Amino acid sequence: MPDMDVLLAGLSDAFSLVNLLFVIAGVIVGQFVGAVPGIGPVMAMAIAIPFTFFMPTLPAIAFLVGVNKGGLFGGAIPAILMNTPGTPDAAATALDGHPLAKQGKPVKATKMALYSSITGDTFSDIVLITISAPLAVLALKMGPVEIFALMIFAFSVIAGLVGDSMVKGVIAAVFGLLCATVGIDPEHGTPRLYFGFFELFDGLPLAAVAIGMLAVSEILRRLASAGSTPRSAITSLDGDDPTVSRVSWAEYWSCRYVMARGAVIGTVLGAIPGIGSTAAAFMSYASAKQASDEPESFGKGNIKGIAAAESANSAVMGANLIPLLVIGIPGSIAAALLISAFKIHGIQPGPLLFEQQGRLIYGLFGAMILANATNLIVGQFSLRLWTRVISAPESVIFSSALLLCIVGVYMSTGGLFGVAVMLVFAVVGYVMNVFGFPVVVFIIAFFLGGSFETYLTQTMVILDGDLTRMIDYPIAVALVVLALISVWWLGFRKKG
């Protein structure tokens, strides 16, 4: 159990005025970027990380969490109003959200998405808060050999679940680990792969790589195809009739089992690295349709379809932080970006985090609950504003985002070299997407590369260079066997 003084101190930090303002700002930014198809919370987080460099640690992390939470709901707005999901996980929401909006009930559809999103997100956060500390205690009993084996297992699962090919997933992971070796060798203190650029002695800058791969590559692709005409969307948000302008308690309560199922599915899948919120949303939607007495009504404006998709994709967010905080392994790109934010502030995620930074962790938990309440309030009053946002020309939005990318990287790296690195990895990300190599796997492997190398070195020292001695570590052996099974099974399932 956490020390009560630490817990109360963390909660008081979370509810301070400064932290509250940054949470509100994060949620507003998240809903804004979620409402713009093609940007999404992940791109916004990547752009925002450099701007958090000079912020206190808790407000910086809370701001990024607010962006992620706001973006999860924001993506449902264009999915419902214009049948164009703002984020990939909102595609399932569009199946019933847009038909309901076309029936003259866009506000009802959007508010149901908001309420179910908050419900699933809150459930996931409660699970995170409840089980993360006990799991961290168990993780502390694992040594370098077991953690090294665990990272191999995580890489195998992520490489197999993300993308269409196990081989391409493994190649992306190896490439990410290779890029992580740039800089000073932690064991011998000699520079590696720096090609005469002393700026690379500290390694490739995290912000430049993340923004280039996740944001700039997508911005350039969208700018190339962007038009100057506004998008076509439903902008007339019904009148004063309460039957179409609000979700009644009876309607919300009728979806309780659907939302509970979606929250559980999203939480379970979110705790498994690599699966993601899109799979959770569609799995929950399919389960709700199968369990319904009127399955034929799904896809025609059934409010339970919206509830199923949104409760599941939002529940993934909190669950993604379970492996991140407990063992330092991110479950998604958003969680990987949070790792970079932690590292910018000199904090290494993992089981020691609860012992060494308990006040920060419980402050983060308080900020997450606060962000849910803020998301609900902002979402209630900002809908008409976001309907204007989704009609803005893409050329204006993405040009502004590109400018923010350049400014952010310049600030975080202290010069144009970081901007050059960003542009190089923007091209790399674009090429990887074209040829089907999963960028998600690369990013996670790159962020974990330093830890992976450290645990590999420690493992080889402990085993005295003899891998057969791993048999003395049954947990590590079991994890390696599971990794081999996942490679075989997932590779066979994808046939290549």
Side-chain angles (χ1 to χ4, degrees):
M1 292 294 292
D3 184 274
M4 186 59 65
D5 292 337
V6 174
L7 191 152
L8 292 177
L11 291 179
S12 66
D13 291 341
F15 288 91
S16 66
L17 179 60
V18 172
N19 197 67
L20 173 61
L21 292 176
F22 276 109
V23 167
I24 294 173
V27 169
I28 293 174
V29 170
Q31 290 192 12
F32 169 79
V33 298
V36 180
I39 294 187
V42 170
M43 185 187 298
M45 289 176 67
I47 297 173
I49 283 176
F51 295 94
T52 65
F53 184 82
F54 301 102
M55 294 166 55
T57 303
L58 180 58
I61 303 298
F63 173 76
L64 296 174
V65 168
V67 171
N68 198 16
K69 287 178 176 288
L72 289 173
F73 161 66
I77 296 172
I80 291 171
L81 299 183
M82 54 189 294
N83 203 28
T84 304
T87 54
D89 45 47
T93 306
L95 296 177
D96 278 288
H98 190 62
L100 187 60
K102 291 176 67 176
Q103 295 172 18
K105 302 177 181 179
V107 171
K108 181 184 290 290
T110 310
K111 287 188 175 180
M112 190 67 232
L114 174 63
Y115 300 153
S116 52
S117 177
I118 300 300
T119 301
D121 201 353
T122 302
F123 174 84
S124 180
D125 289 348
I126 291 173
V127 172
L128 167 69
I129 295 169
T130 304
I131 73 172
S132 57
L135 287 178
V137 173
L138 294 177
L140 282 173
K141 300 182 182 298
M142 300 174 64
V145 179
E146 289 84 2
I147 295 178
F148 173 68
L150 179 62
M151 295 184 79
I152 292 177
F153 174 60
F155 284 139
S156 67
V157 172
I158 293 170
L161 290 175
V162 179
D164 300 323
S165 168
M166 168 63 80
V167 173
K168 291 181 178 180
V170 172
I171 292 173
V174 172
F175 183 43
L177 292 174
L178 176 64
C179 291
T181 62
V182 174
I184 299 294
D185 183 343
E187 185 176 1
H188 301 100
T190 56
R192 305 174 300 189
L193 302 176
Y194 72 107
F195 301 107
F197 295 100
F198 70 90
E199 293 93 343
L200 293 178
F201 273 26
D202 292 330
L204 290 166
L206 292 174
V209 174
I211 292 176
M213 296 284 283
L214 299 175
V216 180
S217 61
E218 179 65 16
I219 289 171
L220 295 177
R221 186 184 70 82
R222 296 297 293 260
L223 278 175
S225 59
S228 59
T229 57
R231 302 182 189 91
S232 175
I234 297 174
T235 57
S236 177
L237 298 182
D238 44 51
D240 299 327
D241 186 353
T243 61
V244 296
S245 62
R246 66 181 180 88
V247 176
S248 67
W249 170 254
E251 289 174 316
Y252 175 83
W253 189 245
S254 68
C255 298
R256 62 190 183 280
Y257 296 120
V258 172
M259 290 187 291
R261 186 190 303 112
V264 171
I265 290 174
T267 301
V268 172
L269 295 186
I272 303 173
I275 294 184
S277 53
T278 303
F282 278 101
M283 185 177 294
S284 176
Y285 184 87
S287 299
K289 183 177 180 179
Q290 185 177 14
S292 175
D293 295 332
E294 300 176 338
E296 68 281 354
S297 66
F298 281 73
K300 300 177 181 177
N302 192 325
I303 201 171
K304 292 184 178 179
I306 302 173
E310 284 297 308
S311 61
N313 67 32
S314 295
V316 169
M317 192 272 162
N320 275 166
L321 298 188
I322 295 175
L324 170 65
L325 297 179
V326 173
I327 55 179
I329 296 178
S332 64
I333 287 187
L337 291 173
L338 285 178
I339 280 189
S340 69
F342 275 113
K343 288 184 176 180
I344 283 176
H345 291 274
I347 298 171
Q348 177 62 50
L352 289 174
L353 199 59
F354 287 84
E355 181 179 330
Q356 299 173 349
Q357 298 285 344
R359 179 170 178 172
L360 172 65
I361 292 302
Y362 290 104
L364 172 61
F365 289 161
M368 293 176 71
I369 299 300
L370 184 62
N372 290 339
T374 304
N375 208 8
L376 177 63
I377 296 171
V378 173
Q380 289 274 29
F381 297 102
S382 61
L383 178 58
R384 297 184 186 278
L385 175 61
W386 305 144
T387 59
R388 301 294 182 268
V389 170
I390 64 176
S391 302
E394 285 187 339
S395 57
V396 174
I397 293 172
F398 287 106
S399 298
S400 303
L402 181 59
L403 179 60
L404 287 175
C405 291
I406 295 173
V407 172
V409 170
Y410 184 89
M411 289 174 54
S412 65
T413 59
L416 290 175
F417 182 81
V419 177
V421 172
M422 177 191 74
L423 295 176
V424 168
F425 276 91
V427 175
V428 172
Y430 180 81
V431 172
M432 288 181 67
N433 279 317
V434 168
F435 289 98
F437 291 92
V439 173
V440 176
V441 178
F442 170 87
I443 290 293
I444 292 177
F446 174 72
F447 283 178
L448 292 179
S451 300
F452 183 82
E453 182 178 6
T454 299
Y455 287 120
L456 172 61
T457 302
Q458 294 174 348
T459 298
M460 297 309 294
V461 171
I462 292 172
L463 300 180
D464 198 22
D466 184 6
L467 291 178
T468 60
R469 295 181 60 182
M470 189 177 285
I471 197 169
D472 297 329
Y473 301 86
I475 295 178
V477 172
L479 290 169
V480 171
V481 171
L482 287 174
L484 294 174
I485 292 174
S486 66
V487 168
W488 174 81
W489 185 75
L490 294 172
F492 177 78
R493 181 174 63 88
K494 293 186 176 184
K495 296 181 181 179

